Amino acid sequence: MVDYEQLGSFVMDEGPKHAGAPGSDLAVSICRSHEGDYNVILRGKIEDSLAIYAELIFLLGSVSENDKVNLFICSPGGSVFAGMEIANAIRASKAQVNTIIAGLAASIAAVIWFAGKERYTLPYSLLQVRLQKQSAFCPPAQQLSYR
């Protein structure tokens, strides 16, 4: 059972750090809770601007295996390349990275959510997963094998 109040606890020892591109609605906020966990909020459309994700990816690469990172996602999706970079950083991180949908996780944001070691959704959240479309390079989704 998920303790939603604990997941949403943002009592911080260190102030939040925000990153966002000018003219973009994407924001990444990183803060540390009083328990020592890292709480990260990924909000807005995911775009191909490496500067926005640099601090997040650095955090995921520098934490130890005893640390815990809670990544809250509220995003309609966006760039597949930037999203896969974040998902790969989550999978490669030594820390336990939990992903939590706090509103909407659609398209590539859903892939980021699936990359977490433990996955949660807050009440009334929405997960949208797109089916793969047929192309010249790939068979229809019904012909793919799922493992």
mmCIF file of all heavy atoms in Angstrom, residues 11 13 15 22 46 53 67 73 89 95 98-99 118 140:
data_model
loop_
_atom_site.group_PDB
_atom_site.id
_atom_site.type_symbol
_atom_site.label_atom_id
_atom_site.label_comp_id
_atom_site.label_asym_id
_atom_site.label_seq_id
_atom_site.Cartn_x
_atom_site.Cartn_y
_atom_site.Cartn_z
ATOM 1 N N VAL A 11 9.018 18.545 2.699
ATOM 2 C CA VAL A 11 9.710 19.308 3.722
ATOM 3 C C VAL A 11 11.185 19.167 3.391
ATOM 4 O O VAL A 11 11.716 18.069 3.345
ATOM 5 C CB VAL A 11 9.415 18.761 5.129
ATOM 6 C CG1 VAL A 11 10.186 19.524 6.172
ATOM 7 C CG2 VAL A 11 7.924 18.793 5.394
ATOM 8 N N ASP A 13 15.370 19.997 3.472
ATOM 9 C CA ASP A 13 16.557 20.508 4.121
ATOM 10 C C ASP A 13 17.271 21.455 3.160
ATOM 11 O O ASP A 13 17.861 22.438 3.562
ATOM 12 C CB ASP A 13 17.500 19.361 4.508
ATOM 13 C CG ASP A 13 16.862 18.459 5.559
ATOM 14 O OD1 ASP A 13 16.048 18.963 6.351
ATOM 15 O OD2 ASP A 13 17.166 17.269 5.573
ATOM 16 N N GLY A 15 16.886 23.760 -0.418
ATOM 17 C CA GLY A 15 15.861 24.390 -1.229
ATOM 18 C C GLY A 15 15.726 23.731 -2.584
ATOM 19 O O GLY A 15 16.655 23.078 -3.052
ATOM 20 N N PRO A 22 13.805 28.904 -21.536
ATOM 21 C CA PRO A 22 13.004 30.089 -21.814
ATOM 22 C C PRO A 22 11.990 29.801 -22.915
ATOM 23 O O PRO A 22 12.318 29.190 -23.916
ATOM 24 C CB PRO A 22 14.041 31.121 -22.276
ATOM 25 C CG PRO A 22 15.354 30.603 -21.806
ATOM 26 C CD PRO A 22 15.222 29.118 -21.722
ATOM 27 N N ILE A 46 8.139 17.395 -22.826
ATOM 28 C CA ILE A 46 9.543 16.996 -22.863
ATOM 29 C C ILE A 46 10.111 17.416 -24.212
ATOM 30 O O ILE A 46 9.605 17.010 -25.253
ATOM 31 C CB ILE A 46 9.674 15.482 -22.632
ATOM 32 C CG1 ILE A 46 9.139 15.152 -21.249
ATOM 33 C CG2 ILE A 46 11.108 15.038 -22.802
ATOM 34 C CD1 ILE A 46 8.945 13.692 -20.994
ATOM 35 N N TYR A 53 17.742 18.708 -18.739
ATOM 36 C CA TYR A 53 17.852 17.393 -18.117
ATOM 37 C C TYR A 53 19.221 17.133 -17.496
ATOM 38 O O TYR A 53 19.395 16.144 -16.815
ATOM 39 C CB TYR A 53 17.575 16.308 -19.150
ATOM 40 C CG TYR A 53 16.307 16.535 -19.896
ATOM 41 C CD1 TYR A 53 16.327 16.910 -21.225
ATOM 42 C CD2 TYR A 53 15.091 16.422 -19.256
ATOM 43 C CE1 TYR A 53 15.146 17.146 -21.900
ATOM 44 C CE2 TYR A 53 13.913 16.668 -19.926
ATOM 45 C CZ TYR A 53 13.952 17.021 -21.251
ATOM 46 O OH TYR A 53 12.804 17.271 -21.918
ATOM 47 N N ASP A 67 20.532 5.503 -1.696
ATOM 48 C CA ASP A 67 19.640 6.653 -1.881
ATOM 49 C C ASP A 67 18.347 6.238 -2.569
ATOM 50 O O ASP A 67 18.277 5.196 -3.220
ATOM 51 C CB ASP A 67 20.317 7.741 -2.724
ATOM 52 C CG ASP A 67 21.430 8.435 -1.968
ATOM 53 O OD1 ASP A 67 21.321 8.558 -0.733
ATOM 54 O OD2 ASP A 67 22.397 8.864 -2.613
ATOM 55 N N ILE A 73 5.865 12.628 -12.193
ATOM 56 C CA ILE A 73 5.702 12.947 -13.613
ATOM 57 C C ILE A 73 4.318 13.526 -13.856
ATOM 58 O O ILE A 73 3.316 12.941 -13.462
ATOM 59 C CB ILE A 73 5.885 11.685 -14.484
ATOM 60 C CG1 ILE A 73 7.251 11.057 -14.235
ATOM 61 C CG2 ILE A 73 5.677 12.007 -15.959
ATOM 62 C CD1 ILE A 73 7.400 9.673 -14.807
ATOM 63 N N ALA A 89 18.778 6.812 -18.108
ATOM 64 C CA ALA A 89 19.458 7.263 -16.891
ATOM 65 C C ALA A 89 18.798 6.660 -15.656
ATOM 66 O O ALA A 89 19.478 6.294 -14.696
ATOM 67 C CB ALA A 89 19.453 8.787 -16.817
ATOM 68 N N ALA A 95 20.688 4.054 -7.547
ATOM 69 C CA ALA A 95 19.675 4.308 -6.518
ATOM 70 C C ALA A 95 18.353 3.656 -6.889
ATOM 71 O O ALA A 95 18.119 3.287 -8.044
ATOM 72 C CB ALA A 95 19.457 5.813 -6.362
ATOM 73 N N ASN A 98 11.911 5.555 -7.888
ATOM 74 C CA ASN A 98 10.476 5.287 -7.966
ATOM 75 C C ASN A 98 9.853 6.350 -8.854
ATOM 76 O O ASN A 98 10.175 7.534 -8.734
ATOM 77 C CB ASN A 98 9.841 5.348 -6.582
ATOM 78 C CG ASN A 98 10.462 4.341 -5.645
ATOM 79 O OD1 ASN A 98 10.821 3.252 -6.048
ATOM 80 N ND2 ASN A 98 10.615 4.717 -4.399
ATOM 81 N N THR A 99 8.968 5.942 -9.736
ATOM 82 C CA THR A 99 8.283 6.901 -10.594
ATOM 83 C C THR A 99 6.821 6.964 -10.185
ATOM 84 O O THR A 99 6.196 5.935 -9.944
ATOM 85 C CB THR A 99 8.425 6.512 -12.078
ATOM 86 O OG1 THR A 99 8.067 5.146 -12.252
ATOM 87 C CG2 THR A 99 9.855 6.714 -12.563
ATOM 88 N N GLU A 118 10.045 1.030 -8.893
ATOM 89 C CA GLU A 118 8.681 0.896 -8.368
ATOM 90 C C GLU A 118 7.859 1.993 -9.006
ATOM 91 O O GLU A 118 8.306 3.130 -9.107
ATOM 92 C CB GLU A 118 8.658 1.024 -6.843
ATOM 93 C CG GLU A 118 9.316 -0.133 -6.124
ATOM 94 C CD GLU A 118 9.205 -0.012 -4.615
ATOM 95 O OE1 GLU A 118 8.427 0.831 -4.127
ATOM 96 O OE2 GLU A 118 9.905 -0.765 -3.920
ATOM 97 N N PRO A 140 2.824 -4.751 -37.598
ATOM 98 C CA PRO A 140 1.775 -4.192 -36.740
ATOM 99 C C PRO A 140 1.952 -4.647 -35.297
ATOM 100 O O PRO A 140 2.562 -5.673 -35.027
ATOM 101 C CB PRO A 140 0.478 -4.745 -37.324
ATOM 102 C CG PRO A 140 0.822 -5.326 -38.640
ATOM 103 C CD PRO A 140 2.290 -5.580 -38.670
#
